[in-house]
Amino acid sequence: MPEEFQPRIVAFFCNWCTYLAADLAGTSRIKYAPNAEVVRVMCSGRIDVQFVLKAFAQGADGVLIGGCHPGDCHYQEGNYKALRRYRLLQRLIRQMGIEEERLRLEWISAAEGDRVRVVINEMVEALQRLGPLHKNGQAQERLMEVA
Amino acid sequence: MPDRNPVRIGVYTCHCGTNIAATVDVKALAEFAAALPGVVVSREYKYMCSDPGQDLIRHDIRDHDLNRIVVASCSPHLHEHTFRTALKVGGLNPYYFHMVNIREQASWVHENKAQATRKAKDLVRAAVCRVALHEPLERGRVAIHPDVLVLGGGIAGIHAALTLANAGKHVYLVEKEPTIGGHMAKFDKTFPTLDCAACILTPKMSAVRSHPNITLLTYSEVTKVDGYVGNYKITVLRHPRYIDEDLCAGCLECLEACVYKQAKVPDEFNMGLGKRKPIYIPFPQAVPQVPVIDPETCIQFKSGKCKKTCIEACGERHAINLQAEATTQEIEVGTVILATGFRAFDAARAPGYGYGRYPNVYAALEVERMVNASGPTAGEVILRDGRRPQAVGIIHCVGSRDENTNRWCSRVCCMYSLKLAHLIKEHTGAEVFNFYIDIRTPGKGFEEFYQKLLTERVHFIRGRVAEVTDWVFDPSEDGKLVIRVEDTLAGFVRRIPVDMVVLATGLEPRADAPEVRRLFNISCASEGFFLERHPKLAPVNTFTDGVFLAGCCQGPKDIPDTVAQAGAAAAEALALIDAGYVETEPNTARVIEEICCGCKTCNSMCPYHAISFVGEIHKSRINEVLCKGCGTCVAACPSGAIRQNLFEDDQIYAEIEGILTHA
Amino acid sequence: MARSYGYFPGCSLKGTGRAYEESLLTLFRVLDLPLAELDDWNCCGATSYMAIDETAAFGLAARNLALAQMAGQQDLLAPCSACYLVLRKTQDYVGRYPAIAQEVNTALGNGNLKILNSVRVRHPLEVLYMDVGTRRLSEKMQRTWHGGPVACYYGCQMVRPYTEVDRAFNPTRMDELLAAVKVPTVDYSLKTKCCGGSLTGTTHSVGVELNRILLKEAVRKGAQAIVTVCPLCQYNLDAYQSEIRRITREHIEMPILYFTQILGWALGGDIGSLGLKRAISGRKTIGQWFTETRVEKEAYA
Amino acid sequence: MQRELKLQREADPEWARHLSERPGCEGVFSCLQCGACSGSCPLSIYMDFTPRRIIALAREGFRKEALRSKTIWLCASCYSCAVNCPRQIHITDVMYSLKREAIQFRLYPKRFPVPILSQEFYKMVRRRGRSSEFWLVLRLALRSNPLMLLGMLRSGWDLMRTGRLSLKRERIRDTGPLSRLTAERKPLPARGLAPGEVA
């Protein structure tokens, strides 16, 4: 049987909620797919549109953004800024011919260790259905232009 | 400023015993790292966080003159500080360091060793690429305001406040209720020693009142929190008591004088079992000794037609002011201790047990008041109709260990149920049945107390009660409450008729916990209790510096544990205060003026108003003291003129590249 | 124009439970709520089918759901508690276990029936409580009750494990509906205890004992009749009273009614078409209680 | 003296695992053994093992003990156990699953009416799409204990005179899907069958 496609996901997690949730998942020994690799930022508000495009350009099949629940941001409202940029990005990548499922924003609090498992596993499944991004020539060109 | 020497990186892979080594091939990882650009030394070791582990780093810095360090071990939230200190001691700027989390994010969450190792390699590669671009940074310092806010006047808050006050710090003790004392003030005896709660609590309460270093703000709530560790500005809302605390002498003649000759309002402190007047004092030893008027029930407030006999009685003192209104007060503190306590589970949420349906089904706190000599029944355990119960059933784990209500074990119910069993038997001589799933007595003298109860012939039936009903199956059950349960040890189902049922309700987070959490910017665990920074190593700290936890707001615990935790929280606060300052992380943002085009996009981004626009040079500027380092402005700057220490764009790009470069 | 409800009678309502169907139809007629019986419906599978073949059991129920869906019904009324539960449970499990959904679909697929969970399975009690409401019932009340107090018996499968119809513990909606038409009810602690279902047919003595307990406690609480929502409950409580009298020598003789009979009567439904004559026990009492007596309307001066 | 001793080789942990993977049976391993199920069960007082003990037997892999018990046949599916369970275990479904297995492997007391009723009911509905109470009871009696009919004369007569007894044999038009459904039926794997037990 053929080797199943293993998507690569770059995950930007905020330091105070989602990164801690991932830690909790660890201490609770919750098992999930090994396809997502985390870049820690202090706040989801730090996540630059360029980071996401760069990740796609560098060969990521999906990008996950994790922040605090609305109203819970450690820096009061950074996550709202993240939400705005996420919406912008969704439009942007659609125009570039990249499926929206490849970019996901999730509010995951420090208490929601299992949510990390659910989200990452879901995303891996979705990406396995979509297949590798580099197969998508048009998107590649566009990415090269912007990133 | 970036240093010119060529990058010489040392990579250290930790086994963490077998925590990492079991699922990640540490040898392969270390060899992989050794081959990465700029890596001079790559080692793996059992415990990097141990002294020998840290020495390893220091010696290599010296012998191999390393100028960058990467440690692949656990979460930076656990040991980043440890290793940065190691660098410092080794004579290297602590920010030439990056940590890779291959435990929480690899070995503990993946099963396939090959995949876990592959991921660990990616992460290490990313760190190596990133650390090469690190620059030396210095931590800033912020002076700490020596005053402390303690929120909640239960035993936890009281103990913390006294500890701090005795250490010469000024404490603001804010309590929602008209008196301090919390739940403990309601108890009669405390387990397992059975010493009287009042006798050990009330002296501490009066100590609070008389202590020169404590400002007691009862009947008050925190409504706003500004600032950060060292310099908090707290807004406190003070509800009107209608009696001036400074003028009142606590003679309580106003209570006597009230036009209500008989108390007729259900009394909150006695769980509604007793009655009080519209003007009342929660209980005789209340602190402060100042009555409070309840506008809901006071005739003057309802109709405006009252003889105001209370005001007459007060006479020359003029302590009573029915026009009084809520006031707000601003206080400045450097540290905060949250001791907001718990809420008892509402027994009506366990419908099978008939609370609220059958009058003689009681919640534990009601019985606590009943057995209390100064309670509504003067210590008599009686049914609603005044009869003495001949048989009493105590049902454990009500609202606890139950997927339908609360999952957790509330920790104190077993012991307080045993205590109540003992007291009820003592007061009434009734047959007492305990219905339990497990008896949990992990504490000093707890198991001994259990043994004592067994020899007192209190019945212990292992089985979770299915229902409490008045259905009469057999004439012997007429007029009784019947408890139906499987006696799982005897191995058959039993029907046990009793006169009184006591529900050992569990502990749960207060309804206002989410608001408090948001005010102080801390996290809650999934069940809603406040989340400590580390379950073992930082049990009273939160993820917000300068905010500490004490007592049941962090999770169910008994009095000794609460007091111990309160002391610990006070000590943590003292440690900060006496240091005089806190070091701030250097991950602040700065504007590169040459690039800034003065578009002001960033100005509105900052929630801390750290960014200002300098008119004369037509550029924005960031005040590093105010900047908290979230980086939102950095991402927002259209011309890329803002940069953030430790989270520079090129550092993050390097990290992304590192992750995605296929090995 | 009132919207119509899909109606799934189930096997019992065509046999032992006839009175239930008759009174239900009468009641919905006086409320002018049209009922559309599902064409070519099949047995829900009850409790027995599940004991042999799970997939088939779900499939049976699924076929009915599919029929209702194709008939364009939004609601499917299942008066029999067992039918209600099986249909409801099927939707739940088909939703929760893709494997089950798959098997059931392939089986039904060929008969080009697809399971669609858009149909809402409902019990008449809940429809009357939510869609009609107690206020409208008291407004439409035509006859005043001069019978004795009754015990509302909810049984098990209507309130457990799914709680859309009413609470699993101490449900009260039937009491409220009867109160709306001025019928006194007693606080009946056994209102959700099981009647034994088919046990009266299989392990007879046990089944009968369960019903003895239910009847005895109702008497102790001062009830002169028991009101049910399920054909099986009604049959068990109704059919074995003489036997219970013989065994226990306790004088127990009380009517076992359907809530639809009382409501239908109170709202002025044709007494002849409430299936009252189909009762086995307490026929005399029924004769005395269910008579032509109109609400005396107060004259306004 | 009767000796009561269980050897571990008599247990079948594999079967327990398999059971715990059937729909509705997932919870068995999280059982607290608190007895809330047995306490709330109206029939536990007639059972040879209380529901709690069935769960205990099942998850320890004592297959035959669980399948041969009267308990699973006395369960009237009233779901009290399920709503009372602090671990939200669908105990009723566990009972169903055990019934299915017991019937498939004939591990029930001979002439015991409950499984017979189920089988007769199953046959009737599969063939005709609906059940007809009269004929169902008749077949049940004939296969379990014909004397039963005598006891039923009274209630039979009552039903007759109140017009509640229908001799009509109900049947639906389109029985296609039903037969296909039953064709779908896939038997449970034969586990730990003792010699003489037929699958």
Side-chain angles (χ1 to χ4, degrees), chain B residues 215-234:
Chain B
T215 309
L216 179 57
L217 305 175
T218 52
Y219 218 36
S220 309
E221 293 172 59
V222 169
T223 53
K224 192 157 174 289
V225 178
D226 286 322
Y228 44 89
V229 56
N231 308 276
Y232 285 108
K233 276 186 193 48
I234 313 271

Short mmCIF file of all heavy atoms in Angstrom, two decimals, chain B residues 215-234:
data_model
loop_
_atom_site.label_atom_id
_atom_site.label_comp_id
_atom_site.label_asym_id
_atom_site.label_seq_id
_atom_site.Cartn_x
_atom_site.Cartn_y
_atom_site.Cartn_z
N THR B 215 -5.52 47.68 55.96
CA THR B 215 -6.71 48.46 55.66
C THR B 215 -7.79 47.49 55.22
O THR B 215 -7.65 46.82 54.19
CB THR B 215 -6.44 49.45 54.51
OG1 THR B 215 -5.27 50.19 54.83
CG2 THR B 215 -7.63 50.38 54.31
N LEU B 216 -8.85 47.36 56.02
CA LEU B 216 -9.90 46.38 55.76
C LEU B 216 -11.04 47.03 54.98
O LEU B 216 -11.63 48.00 55.43
CB LEU B 216 -10.42 45.79 57.08
CG LEU B 216 -11.53 44.76 56.98
CD1 LEU B 216 -11.11 43.60 56.10
CD2 LEU B 216 -11.91 44.26 58.36
N LEU B 217 -11.31 46.53 53.79
CA LEU B 217 -12.40 47.06 52.96
C LEU B 217 -13.44 45.97 52.77
O LEU B 217 -13.35 45.17 51.82
CB LEU B 217 -11.87 47.53 51.61
CG LEU B 217 -10.73 48.55 51.63
CD1 LEU B 217 -10.23 48.82 50.23
CD2 LEU B 217 -11.18 49.85 52.28
N THR B 218 -14.42 45.88 53.69
CA THR B 218 -15.47 44.87 53.55
C THR B 218 -16.58 45.41 52.68
O THR B 218 -16.65 46.61 52.41
CB THR B 218 -16.06 44.49 54.92
OG1 THR B 218 -16.45 45.69 55.58
CG2 THR B 218 -15.04 43.76 55.77
N TYR B 219 -17.50 44.51 52.28
CA TYR B 219 -18.65 44.88 51.46
C TYR B 219 -18.17 45.59 50.20
O TYR B 219 -18.79 46.55 49.76
CB TYR B 219 -19.58 45.80 52.29
CG TYR B 219 -21.05 45.55 52.07
CD1 TYR B 219 -21.53 44.26 51.84
CD2 TYR B 219 -21.96 46.59 52.10
CE1 TYR B 219 -22.88 44.03 51.65
CE2 TYR B 219 -23.32 46.37 51.89
CZ TYR B 219 -23.77 45.09 51.67
OH TYR B 219 -25.11 44.86 51.47
N SER B 220 -17.03 45.16 49.68
CA SER B 220 -16.39 45.87 48.56
C SER B 220 -15.95 44.89 47.49
O SER B 220 -15.73 43.70 47.76
CB SER B 220 -15.17 46.64 49.06
OG SER B 220 -15.52 47.43 50.17
N GLU B 221 -15.81 45.38 46.26
CA GLU B 221 -15.37 44.55 45.14
C GLU B 221 -14.34 45.29 44.31
O GLU B 221 -14.39 46.52 44.22
CB GLU B 221 -16.54 44.20 44.22
CG GLU B 221 -17.58 43.31 44.82
CD GLU B 221 -18.79 43.20 43.91
OE1 GLU B 221 -18.62 42.76 42.75
OE2 GLU B 221 -19.89 43.59 44.34
N VAL B 222 -13.42 44.55 43.70
CA VAL B 222 -12.50 45.16 42.75
C VAL B 222 -13.20 45.25 41.40
O VAL B 222 -13.76 44.26 40.92
CB VAL B 222 -11.20 44.33 42.62
CG1 VAL B 222 -10.37 44.81 41.45
CG2 VAL B 222 -10.41 44.42 43.91
N THR B 223 -13.21 46.44 40.80
CA THR B 223 -13.93 46.59 39.53
C THR B 223 -12.97 46.88 38.37
O THR B 223 -13.36 46.77 37.21
CB THR B 223 -14.93 47.76 39.61
OG1 THR B 223 -14.21 48.91 40.06
CG2 THR B 223 -16.03 47.44 40.60
N LYS B 224 -11.73 47.27 38.68
CA LYS B 224 -10.83 47.63 37.59
C LYS B 224 -9.39 47.41 38.04
O LYS B 224 -9.06 47.66 39.21
CB LYS B 224 -11.04 49.10 37.22
CG LYS B 224 -10.39 49.55 35.92
CD LYS B 224 -11.11 50.80 35.38
CE LYS B 224 -10.42 51.39 34.16
NZ LYS B 224 -9.12 52.02 34.54
N VAL B 225 -8.57 46.87 37.15
CA VAL B 225 -7.16 46.66 37.45
C VAL B 225 -6.32 47.22 36.32
O VAL B 225 -6.50 46.83 35.16
CB VAL B 225 -6.84 45.16 37.63
CG1 VAL B 225 -5.36 44.96 37.90
CG2 VAL B 225 -7.68 44.58 38.75
N ASP B 226 -5.45 48.17 36.63
CA ASP B 226 -4.53 48.72 35.64
C ASP B 226 -3.10 48.44 36.06
O ASP B 226 -2.85 48.14 37.23
CB ASP B 226 -4.73 50.24 35.50
CG ASP B 226 -6.01 50.56 34.74
OD1 ASP B 226 -6.30 49.81 33.79
OD2 ASP B 226 -6.71 51.51 35.12
N GLY B 227 -2.18 48.56 35.10
CA GLY B 227 -0.76 48.45 35.42
C GLY B 227 -0.28 47.01 35.35
O GLY B 227 -0.93 46.16 34.75
N TYR B 228 0.84 46.76 35.99
CA TYR B 228 1.51 45.47 35.85
C TYR B 228 2.33 45.26 37.10
O TYR B 228 2.36 46.12 37.99
CB TYR B 228 2.39 45.48 34.60
CG TYR B 228 3.18 46.77 34.47
CD1 TYR B 228 4.44 46.89 35.05
CD2 TYR B 228 2.63 47.89 33.82
CE1 TYR B 228 5.14 48.08 34.97
CE2 TYR B 228 3.33 49.07 33.75
CZ TYR B 228 4.59 49.17 34.30
OH TYR B 228 5.28 50.35 34.24
N VAL B 229 3.02 44.10 37.16
CA VAL B 229 3.77 43.74 38.36
C VAL B 229 4.58 44.94 38.89
O VAL B 229 5.23 45.64 38.13
CB VAL B 229 4.70 42.54 38.10
CG1 VAL B 229 5.64 42.84 36.94
CG2 VAL B 229 5.50 42.19 39.35
N GLY B 230 4.46 45.17 40.20
CA GLY B 230 5.20 46.29 40.79
C GLY B 230 4.37 47.54 40.91
O GLY B 230 4.51 48.29 41.87
N ASN B 231 3.49 47.76 39.94
CA ASN B 231 2.69 48.99 39.95
C ASN B 231 1.28 48.75 39.45
O ASN B 231 0.98 49.01 38.29
CB ASN B 231 3.37 50.02 39.04
CG ASN B 231 4.82 50.22 39.41
OD1 ASN B 231 5.14 50.96 40.30
ND2 ASN B 231 5.69 49.46 38.72
N TYR B 232 0.45 48.19 40.32
CA TYR B 232 -0.95 47.99 39.95
C TYR B 232 -1.79 49.16 40.48
O TYR B 232 -1.58 49.61 41.60
CB TYR B 232 -1.49 46.70 40.53
CG TYR B 232 -1.01 45.46 39.82
CD1 TYR B 232 -0.07 44.61 40.40
CD2 TYR B 232 -1.50 45.13 38.57
CE1 TYR B 232 0.37 43.48 39.76
CE2 TYR B 232 -1.06 43.99 37.91
CZ TYR B 232 -0.12 43.16 38.51
OH TYR B 232 0.32 42.03 37.87
N LYS B 233 -2.72 49.61 39.65
CA LYS B 233 -3.73 50.57 40.12
C LYS B 233 -5.05 49.84 40.18
O LYS B 233 -5.54 49.35 39.17
CB LYS B 233 -3.83 51.76 39.15
CG LYS B 233 -2.80 52.82 39.44
CD LYS B 233 -2.99 54.05 38.59
CE LYS B 233 -1.76 54.94 38.69
NZ LYS B 233 -0.51 54.12 38.51
N ILE B 234 -5.61 49.72 41.39
CA ILE B 234 -6.81 48.92 41.59
C ILE B 234 -7.97 49.83 41.96
O ILE B 234 -7.82 50.69 42.83
CB ILE B 234 -6.59 47.90 42.73
CG1 ILE B 234 -5.26 47.18 42.57
CG2 ILE B 234 -7.79 46.98 42.85
CD1 ILE B 234 -5.28 45.95 41.76
#
